[in-house]
Amino acid sequence: MNKLFIALFSLCSSVLLMAQDVLPIIPQPVSVTVNEGTFVIDAETAIVFDQANDGLEEAARFFSSAIEELSGYALPLQDKAQRTIELKLESLPEIGDEGYTINVTPEKVLLRANLRAGIIYGMQSLLQLLPAMRTNAALEIPCLSITDYPRFEWRGMHLDVSRHFFGPEVIKQYIDLMAAYKLNTFHWHLVDDQGWRLEIKKYPKLTDIGAWRVDQTHLVWGDRPQAKADEKPTYGGYYTQEQIREIVAYAAERNITIVPEIEMPGHIASAIAAYPELSCSQIPQLPLTGGNYTNMSSNYCAGNDAVFDFLEDVLREVVDLFPSEYIHVGGDEVNKEAWKHCDRCQRRIKDEKLKDEHELQSYFITRIEKFLNGKGRRMIGWDEILEGGLAPDATVMSWRGEAGGIEAAKMSHDVVMTPGKPLYFDHYQAGPEGEPRAIGGFNTLKHVYDYNPIPEELSSEQAKYVMGAQANVWTEYITTAAHLEYMVLPRMLALAEAVWTPLEDKTWEGFNRRLQSHLRGFEQRGLNYCPGNFTVAITPESANGILKATLGTEILGAKIHYTLDGSDPTLESLLYTQPIIIDKTTELKAVNVVHNEVKGYQPASQHFAVHEAIGREVKYTNPVSRYYTADGPNALTDGVRGTGTVGKYWHGFSGKDLIATIDLGEQQSVRRISLGCLQKYRDWIFMPEAVTFEVSQDGKKYKELATVANPIARDAGEVQHDFTLTKALKNVRYIRVSAKNTLCPEGHPGSGKPAWIFADEIIVE
């Protein structure tokens, strides 16, 4: 990719802009006024600035180079000319450190800001008004006035280079993409179980050994067994300190701060492979290979002072390489089992008067924070650093939903919101049929665009601690630069607008219109982007025994056609105009139609079961997991059947039995009762061992009717099955269904640990 990032993303001509009556600037500026006339950029145009300011000269050279890319001529700097583009720093308190103003007349472009950052952002807006490709014609900018500044200070993108390594040129391209849309924080995940990617001079084995693994590419990531000691590493890579310094400088030129993540105290099998003495067991091992592994250490020994000496040495080199205020220490998903059986860790708990291993993790994180504070830096970590007590000055990155961020903000700690839904860009964004394989989930462009980083639970005072948001890109399934481009484009643009533009000024329709020019620019530049989510969104609603389905589309100008008999819709099928009443068991299918062409890999499909218990209240003996609540507490009687997507229309129970009771409202005759369940081996979801059906007239005394055993093999991959009792019954008002949970089977990565039960519907006929 050409180093001149700002030339890459200028998109369309001013003639087209005026015809469309829309400026395709993303993110949408705070205020825009378009006036009569245009400003012409040609060989008679110069860039004017205060030559005493080095930052302005650097910015001017960027802009001149960008124009040269588009026109073939570079704009002279600080020269007499017919027309000028003036860059000016002055006091403008109302727009803050990153804001800018632009005033364009036929004779002059005046770009003003408080700091160089605003000048760069203003240039990005101007360049989005120009062609994407070189043209022999003069370049034109419409006459206009813009006042602009960001809503949030942290506007971030994350990239995991441990699971799959991406070289310096790909990292620079990623930074270019961020810079084009005014994102300012690059969270660089450099360390994890599968690879250590940063050269540390004092500990060369971290990259000699820890950066290389056995890569079993013929197996799906989650199914890869741990490599054996005699297997030769085949995959890896790392960044030299010289490369790091170059990339840090490259990012700084574009107003992007790089926040490095050095994982601790877990997810560090790569470090332990290099230096086994850092673990509790001190047993030699290899970096992890991406899935099924047992008896491998992934934690530092929290009771060993040598571990802290090692980490302080590492962090000294890290802070020398990265000038960022924040250093990310991870802190997520720490399996504390090894600490429970480690004499040194238990001694540490006793000596420090800690309650348990959770407080031991807090001790670990607090000790590291104190070291970083001594180096003039601040610590940030995933929301698990809340466990056992939060370090005094720590900033929390909330990924397991927003709960951790809400808790931290209420404790007056700074927060960055990055919930898995909708800000994990390693999840599917369209279909997902027909898309490149992803780890799971479903975060569409509109899901990202609609995200508001300020939770409703926070007061206005607490909301001040929310610094912003970022999207995360984990790379278990992302192995190439083209795949990486596909996963972030165009979702990165939706994130950019979500964290920059005032909430009241955001509109999905406006963004969608402006986006089209950017997609054409991506295509012209050969960037591999997702063309859109062409799958119709089917949204069921069950209330008062009436079941309806609302159909929606993210595609601008699309029409929706649907069927109710399970057949694939065509142009002749029913045209959707209003919510559809579902009054019988059916399969609804729907498609998007654009310019009389059916779009998408396959129709959206949703099964509905119309039965006697629809809309009835469900009471649970054991609570539903807060992570898998389907579409509400009565999801088991909403008439909506689940799909292979685990986060949609399934109630989840981990390690506990599902015991659900339904009140039919009055006594009636029943001939069949069913419970729908899902098995998904890789996700630790298994069929219940058995399902028991009971009925009652008064809700107190129950009669057991039958127990239906599980007929599905434990090693079956993905299966949906209805446990069914068929029996003619009279005078039934209450129904109780109990599904007995079990453990993950032998040979499974979670062998012997609690499994999940997933259920979608209790069908009463």
Side-chain angles (χ1 to χ4, degrees), residues 588-632:
L588 167 63
K589 287 189 174 183
V591 294
N592 274 303
V593 174
V594 181
H595 302 309
N596 286 324
E597 181 183 353
V598 174
K599 294 288 188 178
Y601 184 78
Q602 66 182 42
S605 177
Q606 179 63 58
H607 288 267
F608 295 95
V610 176
H611 56 91
E612 297 300 324
I614 281 186
R616 297 299 181 182
E617 182 182 4
V618 182
K619 293 185 177 179
Y620 300 95
T621 301
N622 297 319
V624 178
S625 166
R626 65 186 179 95
Y627 299 110
Y628 299 104
T629 59
D631 54 348

Side-chain angles (χ1 to χ4, degrees), residues 153-195:
E153 61 180 292
W154 188 296
R155 307 182 303 280
M157 286 293 298
H158 155 286
L159 181 62
D160 162 28
V161 295
S162 177
R163 274 56 173 234
H164 282 97
F165 178 71
F166 296 94
E169 289 309 309
V170 176
I171 300 303
K172 289 179 180 179
Q173 174 177 302
Y174 202 74
I175 289 169
D176 288 342
L177 284 166
M178 291 177 59
Y181 297 104
K182 306 182 180 74
L183 297 166
N184 67 354
T185 306
F186 175 36
H187 175 177
W188 203 358
H189 186 80
L190 291 161
V191 173
D192 216 301
D193 289 321
Q194 292 81 15

Side-chain angles (χ1 to χ4, degrees), residues 684-717:
W684 297 35
I685 302 168
F686 291 93
M687 291 292 167
E689 183 178 307
V691 175
T692 299
F693 297 94
E694 301 171 274
V695 296
S696 171
Q697 294 180 352
D698 57 8
K700 298 177 181 178
K701 185 178 180 181
Y702 281 84
K703 177 182 179 181
E704 182 177 328
L705 302 175
T707 296
V708 180
N710 171 35
I712 306 300
R714 304 273 283 152
D715 59 355

Side-chain angles (χ1 to χ4, degrees), residues 243-269:
Q243 289 172 327
I244 292 290
R245 288 191 174 93
E246 180 187 353
I247 292 169
V248 167
Y250 187 89
E253 288 176 344
R254 292 149 177 79
N255 291 324
I256 290 176
T257 299
I258 298 181
V259 175
E261 181 177 356
I262 309 298
E263 277 275 8
M264 61 185 80
H267 279 297
I268 45 76

